[in-house]
Amino acid sequence: MPELDVSTTVNGRPVEMRLPTRLTLADFVRDRLGLTGTKVSCGMQVCGACTVLVDGDPVSACSYLACDVDGREVLTVEGLADGGELTPVQRAFVDCSALQCGFCTPGFVMAATALLRDEPHPTEEQIAHHLDGNLCRCTGYLPIVEAVLKASRAGGIDE
Amino acid sequence: MLPPFELRRPVSLAAAVDLVATGGTPYCGGTELLAVMRLGLASPETLVDLKRVPELVGITAAHGEIRLGARVTHREAAASDAVRTHAAILAAGAGLLGNVRVRATGTLAGNVCFAEPRSDILTALLALDASVDLRSADGARSVPIEDFVEGAFTTVRADEELLEAIRVPARSGPSAYVRFAPAEHPTVTVAVVATGDGCRVVVGAVGERPELFTFPGTGDVDPTAIAERVDITEDLNGHEDYKRHLTAVFVGRALEQMGVADA
Amino acid sequence: MSELRVVGTSVPRTDAVAKVTGAAVYTVDVTMPDMLHARVLRSDRAHARIDDIDTSAALALPGVVAVVVGSDLSSLFPRFGHIVPDHAILAIDKVRYYGEPVALIVATDLMVAADALSLVDVRYTELPAVLDTDAALADDSALVHETGYSGVSATPVVVSEYSHRNVAHEVERGWGDPDGAFAEAHLVVETRTHHPMLYAYAMEPYNAVARFTDGALEVVSTAQHPFMVARDLARVFSLPLSQVRVTAPYVGGGYGSKSYTKVEPLTAVGAWATGRAVKLVLDVEESIYTTRADSADVVVRTGFAADGTILVRDFELVLDTGAYADNSPLVLDKAVNRCFGPYRIPNLRVRGKAVYTNTSPASSYRGFGAFQGNLAGETNIDQGAERLGIDAAELRRRNLLLRGERLMPGLRGMDADLVADLDLLVDELDAGPAPAGRLRGVGFGCAATDAGAVPSSTALVKMQSDGSIVVLTGSTELGQGSRTVLAQIAAEELGLDMAAVRVLQSDTATTPFERTTGASRTTTLTGLAVQRACADVLARLRTAAAEVWECPVDDVAVRDHSIVAGGRSMSYGETVRAWFGPGGGEVVGQGVVRRAGVLAELPPFWEIGMVGVALDIDPETGQIDVHQLVTVADVGRAINPVLVEGQDLGAATQGLGGALTEQLVYDGSQIVNANMVEYRIPRITDRPRTFTSIVAERGDGIGPHGAKGVGEGARNPLPGAVAAAVARALGVWPDSLPLNPEHVWRLARKGISQRSGT
């Protein structure tokens, strides 16, 4: 099975591994690194549960080659809360009860984090446009919009 | 589960062209290709990753046209000042298609080569009278988008050719882009571009490929006539009569957006 | 009762931090040492005899450990099913639907297992297929099951007491003299509706991990009802229940679709065949083919008096159950109970059939049975109001059951103020005006469902020597927030901070029996069990203190969260320490809920559904924007108001999906949209522009502090409410779902042509 050497940084930690070319980024972080916060659901890039950031950009880890993070930086949900301190996005999702089963939550948190990096004070419409590719089957979305607005007021991705 | 494949990562255009010439499949964002591979609809032996090829990067505006390298993502195009100024409907389509992850990863070139019938990019590019530059080990050629896409998922690109760039004539006249997408893929897309010598109307998503209708001026555009003539493919998004009706409605709405009276 | 400290407060979810940090563990995240991976080869035809399966090429692939087929299971009980044990773990002799598991490939690596799929060669002989209920019920139709099934014998037996051998279950219910009443009626209104097949789309797909340890079977699964799954597994492997352990960690969505047994037998068979731990994770397409919701064709006739009084209702329901029964017999029972609505109906006849077809198996989905029948029943009431010239809310007011009135003989009297709930609802609805170019339509609907299922819950509360407690329950946290709510109930009862309460759930070996997590039962019934377990702990602490203090137990009391007698006082923790001494210990209380005492009457409570919508319709495209959503949660007492609102918004949003966009579409033997690209569920951009959640707290529930359940209520009447809103905006009544843009456009056109008389 074809393989390549991959040298990457995951949540600030350098990782060097030889990986099968067919391995997805989701399987890489989940199975090889034990970072199971990233979830796989639709497998077709429409649900967003597997959203992680590669060099700051949101990608669908289920449909992204692990080898393509060679030389790049990966941020998964486990890399957010530094030393146990929740980020404003995570804090707002807790405070607004913007989750139920929680399976979509890491993807939403990552997507919202990327949004607030680009646009620290988004309108409700911008939030909806940005998160239209993340599905949640439990909440009915209103608490999620509320949480992103709250995180934005709380200073977005920074303190 | 993806099937097994070799992944080659050339760092020059020449090397990439050589790899494609010897049977490799061009690969960049992968948003379309990996999806079909996962579904078992394609199993290329070798993927040629274009993400390290410096010649394929970037958006440049010069000589009355915009050149988008094969590595340009939808998000780059949607955010580009040059595209927003001189090919506004392309920026609009690129900013609306798929979702934020697809836009961050997927490329316009890949989208064009995939020729998905409901592509926002193809609708916009056809209205803009864009062309694509193809390169192979034997040479290069430029093909208008109109001729490039033959039908659903088929183009005139030969297996050994690499799409190097998309070239779009710079325009600053009135234009509009509207889409109706109650489902993941749009049911209808309409692009209208008023040029110096007429008006180009493209209807996409309703058929096998976007279709071009030209008129002497924006005032001459007849939404009903377009709706009667456009080729329709029925699918989960709608039956023929509904899609014809929507075509007329959204051509009308595009004209309205351009400020054309009596639309 | 003293003032409540924790109950009634929207404390943060106790699982929220784990879920926002990615630390929460779901079944998909579970691994076991030396674990193998499995993939399933599935039938590519709807109905066919299996002539031969050649597994040799797959077995030859390096890394493949086993390829298991149906005929390998002859030493086991090779089927499952909690009502009808008809469900082959792997197809035996024939396949009954496209997507049915035919072979299980177990390999050292998931990629190898996937690659081996194409190496298994199955030879079939095609059989005639029945792909819908009409075909299945034809006189000379092919039979999906030639035999009936016994739960005792591994060999199928011939039993079928129904009107056609493709009928999986048949029910007739009623009272009074329906035919006589129709003859007397001022107006008879007939309505026919078709409700499509749906997919619940729990985002965590069906998956499980299984292994045998010292002869015992251990399974981790994304299951709502681990105790029911354990029963099926015990029968498959002829194990005592004590040797089957099923655990459910965090569950990534259930909504009924993870009720009962799904992939656990298949996974366990992999472990049985290899002697190693095996993990099986389905993808979305496989999950869709594993369980869907029954489609339903319903005909309803209602006879009204001139003043709108309902004299009689007559329903005929036909459900498409698919190839295996799963929970569909109960879905039908519930549909029969739930279709006619919470009205005073002196004469009633309901006839229902659940029909086997060569399509994917159907089972529970949030509010099962209710939404399928409610669409017909409520549309019919609205049409009656229109034809009688009576306001639709007023017509309902005249017929809604009053508190204490019985919806059905033998069932619990109505434990809610339905008219008051309806008034709260209709007062909120915004009839317009609509934005330019749009038509505003307002609709609403009512439902009352026999919720709570069978009362059987046990909870344990372990008082630790430091005064903190562990609550053990077999009820599963699906996202509904039971971990939080049950902790609140215990914290309230024992005067503890939330931080001193830990709730551990759903492990058939260590947590007490809970029949199911469904039917909106947890707060009410498990909550009662927890409350009773807390009382039992206090009783035991009093006994312990009496022994420590050497005084009569009657002298010992609980006051201000301490154990007191005379002038002496000990905290709970001190009591534990004093009683056990330096060796340490814990005091365990047990709370039991059975069908006895206040819970002797079924249902435990009526779950009220009272929802309304205001829709803005673009008649040119058929596109619908939800301008307003209003829900009334008649919950008796909200233990956690934010969680109650979350249940209502979530349930209503699923209802909006079912009403507006969702349906599984069969074309021939296959579902053409068995993926989340083409099966369109609500997105963030579809959210209602305004949402009003009304929580009616009248303390009239049988649960803790007067609580009743929530979670399904808002789902059930939503499609009917949407249909009514569309009808009022366009002048044409829809008779099927979903009301997607094309469907609405056609209705709009029909409305225009009817009005213009062309």
Side-chain angles (χ1 to χ4, degrees):
Chain A
M1 194 179 299
E3 295 182 335
L4 282 179
D5 288 321
V6 172
S7 166
T8 179
T9 305
V10 179
N11 298 336
R13 196 165 53 98
V15 177
E16 296 199 10
M17 275 190 198
R18 189 159 181 82
L19 300 175
T21 54
R22 68 195 287 202
L23 186 74
T24 65
L25 178 55
D27 289 344
F28 170 55
V29 298
R30 286 178 52 80
D31 300 343
R32 311 263 167 150
L33 303 181
L35 299 170
T36 56
T38 301
K39 299 296 189 252
V40 175
S41 183
C42 77
M44 297 181 90
Q45 309 169 76
V46 295
C47 80
C50 66
T51 305
V52 303
L53 307 189
V54 175
D55 285 350
D57 290 338
V59 308
S60 296
C62 77
S63 303
Y64 195 93
L65 298 186
C67 290
D68 277 351
V69 301
D70 187 27
R72 308 176 74 182
E73 288 188 15
V74 181
L75 183 67
T76 73
V77 68
E78 291 91 345
L80 291 179
D82 195 17
E85 185 76 22
L86 299 184
T87 65
V89 171
Q90 291 174 310
R91 185 79 255 158
F93 270 69
V94 173
D95 292 346
C96 296
S97 206
L99 58 90
Q100 289 184 26
C101 86
F103 206 75
C104 72
T105 309
F108 267 102
V109 166
M110 297 312 292
T113 299
L115 168 66
L116 295 182
R117 245 174 220 175
D118 292 346
E119 179 53 72
H121 299 287
T123 62
E124 211 177 302
E125 201 171 320
Q126 286 173 313
I127 292 169
H129 178 61
H130 186 88
L131 296 180
D132 200 33
N134 286 75
L135 299 178
C136 169
R137 194 56 154 160
C138 296
T139 64
Y141 299 107
L142 295 175
I144 292 173
V145 175
E146 195 51 45
V148 179
L149 287 170
K150 182 174 174 145
S152 141
R153 289 194 297 271
I157 54 161
D158 307 319
E159 277 317 291
Chain B
M1 186 62 58
L2 290 167
F5 54 85
E6 295 280 351
L7 181 63
R8 306 296 298 270
R9 302 189 290 193
V11 294
S12 72
L13 181 59
V17 167
D18 276 350
L19 286 164
V20 170
T22 52
T25 298
Y27 157 78
C28 196
T31 53
E32 311 269 20
L33 181 59
L34 297 181
V36 296
M37 287 169 64
R38 203 186 170 108
L39 290 171
L41 302 174
S43 46
E45 269 175 38
T46 303
L47 296 190
V48 180
D49 184 9
L50 305 178
K51 288 193 288 293
R52 288 167 168 75
V53 178
E55 294 93 330
L56 302 179
V57 78
I59 300 168
T60 50
H63 316 299
E65 67 174 26
I66 301 164
R67 180 187 182 278
L68 302 108
R71 288 171 56 188
V72 171
T73 63
H74 304 298
R75 198 183 63 178
E76 277 178 82
S80 152
D81 283 339
V83 178
R84 290 160 71 108
T85 308
H86 300 294
I89 60 168
L90 181 60
L96 290 170
L97 71 79
N99 57 48
V100 66
R101 299 177 305 280
V102 169
R103 295 192 290 269
T105 316
T107 63
L108 280 77
N111 186 291
V112 166
C113 289
F114 198 67
E116 149 60 61
R118 295 158 296 190
S119 159
D120 292 90
I121 299 301
L122 284 180
T123 300
L125 289 178
L126 180 55
L128 290 165
D129 199 13
S131 57
V132 296
D133 292 346
L134 301 172
R135 183 174 293 277
S136 69
D138 300 331
R141 61 175 176 149
S142 184
V143 182
I145 280 288
E146 198 175 350
D147 303 329
F148 182 70
V149 179
E150 291 186 304
F153 307 105
T154 54
T155 69
V156 300
R157 184 182 70 86
D159 285 346
E160 58 277 6
E161 281 182 311
L162 183 66
L163 195 158
E164 187 180 348
I166 299 167
R167 285 187 293 112
V168 184
R171 299 180 191 281
S172 50
S175 63
Y177 187 79
V178 293
R179 80 202 288 264
F180 181 58
E184 175 67 23
H185 294 294
T187 307
V188 58
T189 55
V190 174
V192 182
V193 175
T195 65
D197 52 356
C199 179
R200 296 170 68 89
V201 178
V202 175
V203 178
V206 295
E208 299 288 293
R209 58 173 181 163
E211 218 171 320
L212 172 69
F213 300 87
T214 54
F215 298 88
T218 51
D220 304 311
V221 177
D222 180 350
T224 312
I226 292 173
E228 282 167 6
R229 280 163 51 203
V230 72
D231 279 337
I232 302 281
T233 306
E234 296 194 334
D235 57 19
L236 288 175
N237 281 349
H239 292 91
E240 182 180 340
D241 58 341
Y242 179 57
K243 288 189 169 185
R244 287 200 191 283
H245 165 78
L246 285 180
T247 299
V249 168
F250 282 89
V251 170
R253 290 185 183 184
L255 293 171
E256 234 171 79
Q257 197 177 311
M258 289 170 71
V260 178
D262 306 324
Chain C
M1 176 175 280
S2 59
E3 200 157 301
L4 297 171
R5 294 177 314 113
V6 189
V7 161
T9 309
S10 296
V11 303
R13 298 178 64 102
T14 58
D15 54 359
V17 170
K19 288 177 174 176
V20 298
T21 55
V25 172
Y26 300 77
T27 303
V28 281
D29 306 325
V30 171
T31 56
M32 289 181 180
D34 202 25
M35 187 174 84
L36 300 170
H37 296 268
R39 292 287 291 168
V40 183
L41 178 74
R42 292 172 182 275
S43 165
D44 60 0
R45 54 207 75 198
H47 198 195
R49 196 174 66 232
I50 299 171
D51 296 322
D52 181 55
I53 305 178
D54 181 355
T55 62
S56 55
L59 280 166
L61 189 71
V64 172
V65 179
V67 180
V68 189
V69 300
S71 57
D72 296 331
L73 308 183
S74 53
S75 64
L76 306 177
F77 188 98
R79 298 185 311 276
F80 61 96
H82 62 290
I83 298 175
V84 186
D86 60 359
H87 206 144
I89 297 171
L90 287 161
I92 302 168
D93 300 333
K94 71 170 189 173
V95 291
R96 293 182 172 84
Y97 68 97
Y98 178 100
E100 177 162 11
V102 172
L104 183 78
I105 294 168
V106 188
T108 50
D109 184 281
L110 193 53
M111 292 176 184
V112 174
D115 292 346
L117 284 174
S118 61
L119 302 177
V120 178
D121 185 20
V122 187
R123 284 195 294 115
Y124 296 102
T125 300
E126 198 94 28
L127 298 169
V130 288
L131 295 169
D132 57 40
T133 56
D134 285 342
L137 294 175
D139 286 341
D140 54 350
S141 61
L143 296 182
V144 180
H145 296 269
E146 288 80 6
T147 60
Y149 298 92
S150 151
V152 186
S153 162
T155 316
V157 294
V158 177
V159 282
S160 183
E161 66 272 37
Y162 299 130
S163 57
H164 190 289
R165 287 175 62 198
N166 278 331
V167 170
H169 187 48
E170 195 161 4
V171 187
E172 183 162 353
R173 175 156 301 156
W175 51 77
D177 172 17
D179 295 328
F182 275 118
E184 304 270 300
H186 168 75
L187 172 71
V188 176
V189 179
E190 180 176 303
T191 305
R192 288 166 185 266
T193 62
H194 173 74
H195 196 292
M197 298 173 182
L198 298 178
Y199 176 53
Y201 189 43
M203 290 188 71
E204 182 187 13
Y206 293 115
N207 75 107
V209 192
R211 71 173 166 198
F212 284 86
T213 305
D214 302 329
L217 171 60
E218 291 188 0
V219 177
V220 183
S221 179
T222 184
Q224 289 182 228
H225 312 339
F227 289 86
M228 300 291 281
V229 172
R231 282 190 196 176
D232 265 327
L233 292 172
R235 183 170 56 193
V236 169
F237 295 100
S238 299
L239 288 169
L241 279 174
S242 58
Q243 297 297 309
V244 180
R245 181 183 191 181
V246 180
T247 55
Y250 282 120
V251 172
Y255 328 112
S257 72
K258 290 176 182 168
S259 311
Y260 310 105
T261 306
K262 306 296 179 200
V263 296
E264 298 88 351
L266 206 47
T267 315
V269 155
W272 169 80
T274 60
R276 290 169 66 178
V278 170
K279 179 167 185 147
L280 172 64
V281 182
L282 304 191
D283 61 29
V284 171
E285 183 177 11
E286 293 178 289
S287 293
I288 290 173
Y289 276 108
T290 298
T291 305
R292 59 171 172 84
D294 302 71
S295 61
D297 289 293
V298 183
V299 184
V300 47
R301 285 190 309 140
T302 302
F304 294 95
D307 67 354
T309 305
I310 296 174
L311 301 176
V312 55
R313 303 198 87 180
D314 182 353
F315 283 79
E316 270 189 63
L317 304 97
V318 178
L319 307 189
D320 186 335
T321 292
Y324 293 106
D326 200 312
N327 203 40
S328 281
L330 193 59
V331 174
L332 177 67
D333 283 344
K334 293 301 181 189
V336 162
N337 283 359
R338 294 170 171 180
C339 60
F340 48 86
Y343 304 109
R344 214 173 294 109
I345 304 169
N347 302 282
L348 178 77
R349 179 168 53 220
V350 187
R351 286 166 292 190
K353 287 188 181 101
V355 181
Y356 283 128
T357 61
N358 292 116
T359 63
S360 61
S363 186
S364 311
Y365 173 37
R366 201 171 197 160
F368 63 78
F371 57 84
Q372 287 104 330
N374 186 281
L375 171 70
E378 287 292 278
T379 297
N380 178 260
I381 294 284
D382 282 323
Q383 290 174 325
E386 191 178 83
R387 288 181 50 190
L388 288 162
I390 300 173
D391 172 76
E394 179 54 29
L395 181 73
R396 285 180 172 81
R397 277 186 209 102
R398 291 178 193 175
N399 290 288
L400 281 169
L401 292 170
L402 303 178
R403 182 177 291 279
E405 282 189 293
R406 288 183 198 275
L407 186 134
M408 227 187 294
L411 293 190
R412 181 182 297 275
M414 184 49 58
D415 54 356
D417 286 331
L418 295 169
V419 174
D421 289 342
L422 179 64
D423 289 341
L424 288 170
L425 173 72
V426 293
D427 284 353
E428 275 298 321
L429 285 169
D430 175 11
R438 300 290 187 272
L439 301 171
R440 172 73 50 87
V442 169
F444 51 88
C446 310
T449 54
D450 42 340
V454 184
S456 172
S457 292
T458 301
L460 296 178
V461 171
K462 304 203 298 176
M463 177 62 70
Q464 311 291 294
S465 59
D466 61 357
S468 68
I469 61 167
V470 175
V471 178
L472 295 174
T473 165
S475 185
T476 307
E477 171 62 68
L478 306 172
Q480 82 282 48
S482 64
R483 190 160 298 190
T484 307
V485 166
L486 296 175
Q488 285 181 266
I489 291 168
E492 188 68 56
E493 223 54 35
L494 297 173
L496 298 173
D497 291 336
M498 286 290 285
V501 182
R502 175 129 198 250
V503 178
L504 296 176
Q505 298 173 276
S506 296
D507 176 343
T508 62
T510 61
T511 63
F513 183 85
E514 186 81 23
R515 188 174 176 278
T516 56
T517 300
S520 304
R521 68 194 298 280
T522 300
T523 299
T524 310
L525 297 177
T526 315
L528 269 186
V530 168
Q531 212 178 18
R532 290 173 182 178
C534 290
D536 189 40
V537 162
L538 293 177
R540 290 172 192 276
L541 289 172
R542 283 175 56 222
T543 305
E547 288 179 18
V548 170
W549 288 329
E550 297 177 345
C551 68
V553 167
D554 289 349
D555 292 357
V556 181
V558 178
R559 193 176 305 140
D560 297 333
H561 314 306
S562 294
I563 308 293
V564 298
R568 291 172 295 194
S569 170
M570 286 190 288
S571 71
Y572 301 152
E574 284 170 337
T575 310
V576 175
R577 297 198 297 272
W579 196 48
F580 280 99
E586 64 183 14
V587 170
V588 183
Q590 175 179 270
V592 176
V593 164
R594 301 189 302 123
R595 192 179 167 188
V598 293
L599 290 166
E601 252 185 336
L602 290 180
F605 61 94
W606 290 98
E607 183 169 6
I608 308 308
M610 217 40 100
V611 302
V613 290
L615 308 178
D616 287 338
I617 301 172
D618 178 346
E620 276 193 328
T621 63
Q623 175 71 22
I624 291 179
D625 293 327
V626 182
H627 166 72
Q628 185 192 28
L629 168 68
V630 184
T631 60
V632 179
D634 186 330
V635 294
R637 161 78 68 183
I639 306 289
N640 186 316
V642 163
L643 292 187
V644 168
E645 281 184 27
Q647 283 303 298
D648 261 10
L649 178 58
T653 301
Q654 289 190 2
L656 286 169
L660 297 175
T661 60
E662 295 180 33
Q663 66 173 330
L664 290 174
V665 179
Y666 260 96
D667 181 8
S669 64
Q670 295 182 49
I671 298 170
V672 294
N673 59 342
N675 59 72
M676 297 316 294
V677 175
E678 289 160 304
Y679 186 86
R680 176 66 150 78
I681 69 161
R683 295 176 165 196
I684 197 167
T685 40
D686 302 326
R687 72 198 183 286
R689 297 300 174 259
T690 60
F691 168 53
T692 309
S693 164
I694 301 166
V695 181
E697 294 186 90
R698 305 190 185 96
D700 48 8
I702 209 159
H705 310 281
K708 292 180 279 191
V710 64
E712 297 179 355
R715 168 74 179 85
N716 298 330
L718 210 294
V722 168
V726 168
R728 290 183 187 124
L730 303 180
V732 181
W733 286 91
D735 59 7
S736 65
L737 301 177
L739 288 159
N740 58 28
E742 181 176 356
H743 187 179
V744 172
W745 171 73
R746 290 191 190 284
L747 292 172
R749 271 209 320 184
K750 196 170 161 192
I752 291 164
S753 68
Q754 280 179 5
R755 280 193 297 280
S756 64
T758 55

